[in-house]
Amino acid sequence: MFDVDEERLVTEVLRSGWVAQGPQVAAFERAVAMYTGAGFAVAVNSGTAALHAALLAAGIGPGDTVLVPAFTWVATANVVEMVAATTAFVDIDPRTFTVSSAALETALARVQTNGNTAFMPVSLFGRPIDYAPLKGLIEKYALIVIEDAACALGAFCGGRHAGREALAACLSFHPRKIITTGEGGMVITDSPSIAASVTSLRNHGTAPTVGTVPAPSALTDHDRVGYNYRLTDLQGAIGVAQMKKIDWILGERREAAERYHKLLSFQDRIVPPSVTAGGEHAWQAYVVWYRGREVVSDNDVDLTALPGLHRERNALMARLDRDGIMTRPGTQAVSALKYFRLKYSLAPADYPVAMAAEQLTIALPLYPGITMEDQERVVEALLAHDWSPV
Ligand SMILES: Cc1ncc(COP(=O)(O)O)c(C=O)c1O
């Protein structure tokens, strides 16, 4: 994950004596802005902080509703609660792992608010969102779009980087993401006012300084309530080094995904992830369905078949673990988590595809440097499972 580049840049920061947010964070921001084509890139200390600050900067708060996919990491929905808006879940498409326009329309029809309605699509597992089918609804309902692109650095759709269709998009640099700074996040946007607000929010709500060099006696003014969401320059330096090898990282991930596609193309019990037409997947994770086809078809889910297949999937994952192959479920059906279930009186059947995805998906090992032999061993172990009759 790290090599002499990170060591050298971090050592330089240590020797400089300036370890808080400084020139390396600024250099990291410039590198991400350049790579994504965004007008502004503002670093913060986690993807969650990026989402929280972006929602606040977009003016989302009490009385507003935010539509969130029911299948995502809990942070996507937590930040809606953090700004005291209402979370409205949208079920997902089993092929893309994100919302379809049909599911979005159904969810929008249920929204009751006199306030703003925001939409937080998630380019999950590094699969870029295709906005073309969503555009009509975004315009009709004047949706404020903040993309959760935590997993999608390096994903492109129609030649545009993930998140570039949104008002703002939020990246994460957690170790499970495309590049890492240990912890870290960034808001990318073309909006000067969103960028200025996030810049203020990450630093205790500091008001912009007027003039050039402040006098030694000058204290900062604060015109809003803010946070300490700053990234350190040690992390900024790691980010700069990581951005230098992003093409290599993505190349390794794409090659590994291609190899899994081929290795899995001779069977139909493990359903490989679909690829986007006209898009470049970043392959933050390679997530397959355990016999998904028998349970989920065109957004119709046979929930009665789910518990049995869920037990089988878990048994398979436990066996892989005994064989030294580490796998994880894709992610969570956030709509089924206790806090959200109780607060919004939700039942599993309300978001059946999300429920099935939580219970039947498996993220296979995928990282830069994984070899063909490693991947063959994973697929052999999958196929050696004691498959129940279809
Ligand atoms: C989809 C999604 N959203 C948000 C986050 C939050 O990012 P972080 O862990 O950097 O706060 C993550 C990663 O953990 C994620 O996978």
Side-chain angles (χ1 to χ4, degrees):
M1 194 159 30
F2 303 123
D3 57 33
V4 288
D5 289 340
E6 283 81 0
E7 283 175 19
R8 185 177 54 78
L9 283 175
V10 168
T11 306
E12 278 174 23
V13 173
L14 289 171
R15 288 187 181 151
S16 79
W18 185 281
V19 291
Q21 183 186 297
Q24 290 297 324
V25 169
F28 182 33
E29 290 173 334
R30 282 195 299 276
V32 174
M34 179 95 84
Y35 181 79
T36 58
F40 304 91
V42 186
V44 289
N45 53 17
S46 71
T48 308
L51 288 166
H52 183 211
L55 280 183
L56 288 171
I60 306 299
D64 298 333
T65 298
V66 186
L67 293 134
V68 171
F71 183 63
T72 179
W73 178 235
V74 65
T76 321
N78 273 349
V79 293
V80 178
E81 301 294 315
M82 284 159 71
V83 302
T86 300
T87 309
F89 290 104
V90 187
D91 208 359
I92 56 151
D93 181 320
R95 286 164 295 248
T96 62
F97 291 120
T98 195
V99 299
S100 63
S101 52
L104 181 61
E105 191 155 26
T106 308
L108 280 165
R110 286 200 223 113
V111 169
Q112 289 173 336
T113 181
N114 294 323
N116 290 312
T117 308
F119 174 37
M120 288 216 297
V122 182
S123 27
L124 200 61
F125 310 136
R127 189 185 205 282
I129 290 171
D130 181 4
Y131 277 86
L134 302 170
K135 249 192 179 124
L137 289 171
I138 290 171
E139 277 163 22
K140 179 173 165 193
Y141 290 90
L143 301 179
I144 297 167
V145 183
I146 307 289
E147 183 171 324
D148 179 343
C151 311
L153 182 64
F156 289 82
C157 188
R160 302 251 293 160
H161 192 274
R164 299 286 293 117
E165 303 295 328
L167 175 62
C170 302
L171 305 168
S172 164
F173 308 122
H174 180 269
R176 285 179 58 141
K177 302 303 186 288
I178 301 295
I179 65 164
T180 185
T181 54
E183 298 281 357
M186 209 174 279
V187 177
I188 55 169
T189 181
D190 280 347
S191 158
S193 69
I194 295 277
S197 289
V198 175
T199 303
S200 162
L201 287 162
R202 77 174 166 186
N203 195 22
H204 305 285
T206 345
T209 40
V210 185
T212 43
V213 183
S217 55
L219 287 171
T220 48
D221 195 6
H222 297 250
D223 56 1
R224 70 182 88 207
V225 172
Y227 303 83
N228 178 355
Y229 278 169
R230 295 182 306 257
L231 197 70
T232 68
D233 239 30
L234 294 164
Q235 292 166 303
I238 298 173
V240 168
Q242 291 266 294
M243 280 306 286
K244 288 199 174 127
K245 43 191 163 229
I246 189 163
D247 290 339
W248 174 79
I249 293 171
L250 290 166
E252 286 284 303
R253 289 182 171 278
R254 289 189 176 124
E255 255 178 54
E258 272 302 311
R259 289 198 293 261
Y260 272 138
H261 290 337
K262 286 202 184 108
L263 290 166
L264 291 168
S265 63
F266 303 101
Q267 53 79 54
D268 59 3
R269 286 163 161 163
I270 294 287
V271 183
S274 66
V275 286
T276 1
E280 281 178 72
H281 205 304
W283 296 112
Q284 179 264 337
Y286 191 91
V287 177
V288 300
W289 282 87
Y290 178 90
R291 294 177 51 164
R293 287 201 185 102
E294 293 133 59
V295 187
V296 187
S297 60
D298 284 334
N299 303 348
D300 187 20
V301 180
D302 177 5
L303 283 173
T304 56
L306 207 48
L309 290 177
H310 180 49
R311 277 193 298 277
E312 287 180 26
R313 183 211 62 172
N314 294 350
L316 170 59
M317 289 175 70
R319 234 213 57 228
L320 292 171
D321 191 50
R322 285 196 295 278
D323 288 352
I325 298 170
M326 208 178 87
T327 59
R328 299 282 305 145
T331 189
Q332 300 162 309
V334 181
S335 49
L337 299 178
K338 190 171 179 186
Y339 171 85
F340 293 97
R341 208 174 65 225
L342 297 185
K343 178 167 181 188
Y344 295 106
S345 307
L346 305 174
D350 294 338
Y351 305 96
V353 187
M355 208 57 233
E358 176 183 285
Q359 300 202 345
L360 297 184
T361 53
I362 309 176
L364 302 185
L366 185 143
Y367 46 86
I370 191 169
T371 63
M372 180 64 158
E373 292 70 43
D374 294 333
Q375 293 184 268
E376 279 173 350
R377 201 165 81 79
V378 171
V379 173
E380 268 164 30
L382 284 173
L383 300 181
H385 172 59
D386 183 16
W387 292 94
S388 64
V390 174

